[in-house]
Amino acid sequence: MKRLKIMKVYFVFWLFIYLLISLNFEMVKIYFMSTLTFNIAVLTLFAVGTIIILTSAFQLINLAGTFGILAYKKDNLEFYLKGMEKIMPANIA
């Protein structure tokens, strides 16, 4: 339940950012084009960081699913255990 509240706040935050940018798009475009080299470098770092965070989040979801399955000792663990050795040390995996 706490996770849903956090996701709602996160969604509202990005909705607010989208609203600010869409209402002031012309001004944002003028400022972006005035310092194009610096802004491209910042956006590139932002994109790389976002990709790294999303990749880590998907690995964490897979790991949480593995522990959830192991806690209830259900069958069909092969799907979850395939990528586990990449995330955790070999002695735990």
Side-chain angles (χ1 to χ4, degrees):
M1 194 64 169
K2 188 175 181 180
R3 186 182 308 165
L4 287 175
K5 289 180 183 178
I6 292 171
M7 292 300 289
K8 286 179 187 177
V9 170
Y10 186 70
F11 177 72
V12 168
F13 171 73
W14 280 109
L15 196 61
F16 178 69
I17 296 293
Y18 174 74
L19 177 70
L20 285 177
I21 290 175
S22 65
L23 290 177
N24 300 312
F25 184 71
E26 287 298 321
M27 189 183 314
V28 170
K29 189 169 89 172
I30 291 170
Y31 288 144
F32 182 81
M33 294 304 282
S34 65
T35 57
L36 190 62
T37 306
F38 176 73
N39 286 335
I40 287 177
V42 169
L43 286 178
T44 303
L45 289 175
F46 178 73
V48 168
T50 303
I51 290 170
I52 291 171
I53 288 173
L54 288 175
T55 305
S56 299
F58 288 134
Q59 289 177 350
L60 186 61
I61 289 170
N62 193 9
L63 185 63
T66 301
F67 286 140
I69 294 289
L70 290 174
Y72 292 107
K73 295 182 175 80
K74 293 185 179 179
D75 295 333
N76 299 330
L77 296 177
E78 292 84 18
F79 173 75
Y80 292 105
L81 295 176
K82 281 182 184 175
M84 193 170 176
E85 67 273 358
K86 296 176 187 173
I87 301 170
M88 300 193 67
N91 57 356
I92 297 175

